[in-house]
Amino acid sequence: MGDVNVRVPIAEQEPKVRAKNFDEVCLGYTEDEAVEEAGRCLNCKNPKCMGGCPVSINIPAFIEQVKNRDFKRAYEIISESSALPAVCGRVCPQESQCEGVCIRGIKGEAVAIGKLERFVADWARKNGIKPTTTAAKNGHKVAVIGSGPAGLTCAGDLARAGYDVTIFEALHKTGGVLVYGIPEFRLPKDEVVAAEVKNVESLGVKIETNVIIGKSTTIDELMEKEGFEAVFIGSGAGLPKFMGIPGEQALGVFSANEYLTRNNLMKAFKDQDTPIFHGKKVVVVGGGNVAMDAARTALRLGAEVHIVYRRSEAELPARVEEVHHAKEEGVIFDLLQNPVEILSDENGWVKGIKIIKMELGEPDESGRRRPVEIPGSEYEIECDAVIMALGTSPNPLISSTTEGLDVNKRGCIIAKEEDGSTSKKAVFAGGDAVTGAATVILAMGAGKAAAKGIREFFGETV
């Protein structure tokens, strides 16, 4: 074994190569590399890493099995807590969760917990290993709205406990943000997401697609006419936000949500039936993971790409790994700058964007230093497309068609964090529909909490 303070490196596509394809960037550990990295784990008696995991995976236990080369047992341990390990191993912000509190990270690099989780899940998929349940059916019927990470997690946990669960998905494919929001080069759809969904179905979960709750049927109808005794709302946050600046209605201005949905869910990057705008020079406004995804997608479609963000690099909300990959691939970062107007030509198409420079002032309510405009510093960037990646909020369709369901001023459903219960009896909620746009793993944690709450609602001691 090499230096125990340094994690085993993991293979990636070369930046110049991957910037021109949609194949996965990270290539994953080999068996020997995974075993070597697992050997760095100290197997702490009081593992802080578990406390940093929103779904409470027994991290030391599964890593110990990797070290012993018992990959099947490692998968079984992970599956006790997570319905989507191959997803989480790829997109979780481990650096601020489990790996962020790893004891090994005090004097060196934290154990690569996420990469080991990914390895185990990929090994299980390639070897036909699936999660299992031994619980007897209890006769209780539960509806889950949305097939994203919150819905899949809640459904999987309830199915393991013997519940009759049906997921209702508005789109034609299952997976929610996993299929429409996260690019193929970070999360392969057919190979990884579809396989994880099939694992949830293997537990007995039924999935109905093309069902829009609030239009096709309502939550009240599901409960009163369809016989569902409880409902979990995990419908996410798909309503995009804009800045409200002049020129925002110009042709060539997109929300990141629409741009990524066209490209991911509808395979526009393969030049199939769904068109997508191939800009020559694209400006992405925002600094989160979605901004990085949109920028790296536009780059792969042949554009010169600029990310415009009003704070400095230290305040970028995106994962460090995603920022690093974007820079390697050639995305240009215009930091401490903010759009004030989108410029268009005589035909209404974007021709540029007017920017004002910023400086950081006093901290705001988020604890980050507030960006302040520098008077007289405006300038223009020529571009033919602008992608707004400023966050999303829940679609009001479900809350507006469900009697007695309370929402807050942001349109988010009000639910208790500990059990997902809402103002409406037998209706639970979690994930982005409650918090606004957040991470996959936090949505999974909310789905897990709601599954526990539903079981307790039916009188179980969990």
Side-chain angles (χ1 to χ4, degrees):
M1 178 179 282
D3 185 350
V4 294
N5 288 321
V6 179
R7 64 172 56 182
V8 175
I10 196 162
E12 294 178 346
Q13 281 196 74
E14 288 295 324
K16 288 183 179 179
V17 175
R18 69 181 191 240
K20 296 181 180 179
N21 66 54
F22 280 83
D23 297 335
E24 192 168 11
V25 170
C26 180
L27 304 178
Y29 278 141
T30 65
E31 288 190 11
D32 288 344
E33 289 169 342
V35 171
E36 182 179 352
E37 179 61 22
R40 297 180 60 234
C41 178
L42 297 170
N43 203 3
C44 304
K45 291 183 178 178
N46 297 305
K48 291 185 178 181
C49 55
M50 286 184 65
C53 176
V55 296
S56 302
I57 292 172
N58 190 338
I59 293 168
F62 100 74
I63 291 180
E64 182 70 14
Q65 296 308 318
V66 174
K67 187 165 66 174
N68 296 336
R69 291 186 182 268
D70 191 345
F71 306 135
K72 182 175 184 290
R73 180 59 190 143
Y75 178 72
E76 291 168 350
I77 292 168
I78 295 173
S79 296
E80 290 169 4
S81 303
S82 175
L84 306 169
V87 170
C88 291
R90 286 169 165 83
V91 304
C92 270
Q94 292 101 1
E95 66 277 2
S96 61
Q97 294 176 162
C98 54
E99 294 177 13
V101 291
C102 174
I103 298 298
R104 180 64 82 187
I106 294 175
K107 292 185 178 180
E109 293 182 307
V111 174
I113 298 168
K115 298 294 191 286
L116 289 174
E117 180 182 19
R118 169 194 165 144
F119 165 78
V120 170
D122 288 354
W123 182 91
R125 182 180 68 252
K126 291 169 184 173
N127 287 275
I129 310 298
K130 291 185 175 293
T132 58
T133 179
T134 56
K137 290 290 184 182
N138 60 24
H140 292 300
K141 191 175 176 184
V142 179
V144 171
I145 314 303
S147 67
L152 290 170
T153 297
C154 184
D157 279 14
L158 289 173
R160 281 194 190 88
Y163 289 80
D164 181 355
V165 185
T166 302
I167 294 176
F168 295 96
E169 168 55 48
L171 296 175
H172 64 285
K173 280 197 175 181
T174 310
V177 70
L178 305 177
V179 294
Y180 68 73
I182 302 174
E184 188 82 9
F185 54 80
R186 281 217 293 141
L187 185 61
K189 306 296 172 266
D190 295 335
E191 182 186 1
V192 175
V193 178
E196 299 274 68
V197 170
K198 285 181 181 178
N199 283 346
V200 173
E201 289 182 287
S202 73
L203 297 171
V205 174
K206 297 181 285 292
I207 300 176
E208 294 189 23
T209 57
N210 298 308
V211 179
I212 302 174
I213 301 301
K215 284 192 176 291
S216 307
T217 186
T218 66
I219 285 176
D220 292 320
E221 288 171 344
L222 287 176
M223 299 179 79
E224 294 166 10
K225 297 179 181 179
E226 302 285 339
F228 289 98
E229 301 166 81
V231 175
F232 171 70
I233 304 170
S235 50
L239 194 63
K241 295 178 181 178
F242 289 87
M243 293 185 70
I245 59 176
E248 219 166 23
Q249 301 303 316
L251 300 170
V253 177
F254 304 92
S255 70
N257 204 28
E258 176 193 353
Y259 189 79
L260 291 170
T261 298
R262 282 180 177 274
N263 197 68
N264 299 331
L265 181 65
M266 306 175 88
K267 307 293 186 188
F269 66 88
K270 291 184 176 179
D271 290 323
Q272 294 185 352
D273 294 337
T274 299
I276 191 165
F277 189 77
H278 291 245
K280 294 180 180 178
K281 188 171 182 179
V282 175
V283 170
V284 177
V285 181
N289 288 325
V290 174
M292 301 304 139
D293 287 344
R296 296 172 69 197
T297 295
L299 185 87
R300 282 161 170 75
L301 293 174
E304 175 188 313
V305 183
H306 291 245
I307 284 180
V308 172
Y309 179 61
R310 61 185 185 152
R311 289 184 165 97
S312 71
E313 182 165 350
E315 287 81 29
L316 280 169
R319 292 185 66 191
V320 172
E321 182 178 65
E322 301 310 319
V323 175
H324 172 68
H325 281 159
K327 284 183 174 180
E328 279 189 328
E329 290 163 8
V331 173
I332 299 161
F333 283 73
D334 297 328
L335 302 173
L336 285 169
Q337 302 178 52
N338 205 38
V340 292
E341 183 181 358
I342 296 172
L343 310 171
S344 55
D345 63 20
E346 63 276 8
N347 296 315
W349 282 91
V350 169
K351 69 173 185 179
I353 186 166
K354 186 181 287 186
I355 304 289
I356 190 166
K357 294 181 180 180
M358 313 290 282
E359 60 185 356
L360 294 180
E362 296 300 312
D364 61 15
E365 60 277 2
S366 73
R368 296 179 296 174
R369 292 173 65 192
R370 186 188 301 276
V372 180
E373 293 182 353
I374 300 175
S377 64
E378 293 93 340
Y379 70 100
E380 296 178 6
I381 297 177
E382 286 186 12
C383 62
D384 56 4
V386 176
I387 301 172
M388 294 292 185
L390 305 169
T392 53
S393 58
N395 189 311
L397 184 61
I398 289 178
S399 58
S400 66
T401 58
T402 306
E403 189 175 343
L405 186 64
D406 292 344
V407 298
N408 63 22
K409 62 183 180 182
R410 296 186 297 133
C412 297
I413 297 168
I414 298 172
K416 293 181 180 178
E417 185 176 348
E418 61 270 20
D419 65 1
S421 59
T422 70
S423 58
K424 187 175 179 68
K425 183 180 178 182
V427 175
F428 298 75
D432 291 4
V434 171
T435 61
T439 62
V440 167
I441 190 63
L442 289 177
M444 291 176 63
K448 200 168 193 65
K452 179 175 178 288
I454 290 169
R455 293 174 66 186
E456 290 171 344
F457 171 77
F458 285 111
E460 284 192 67
T461 301
V462 183

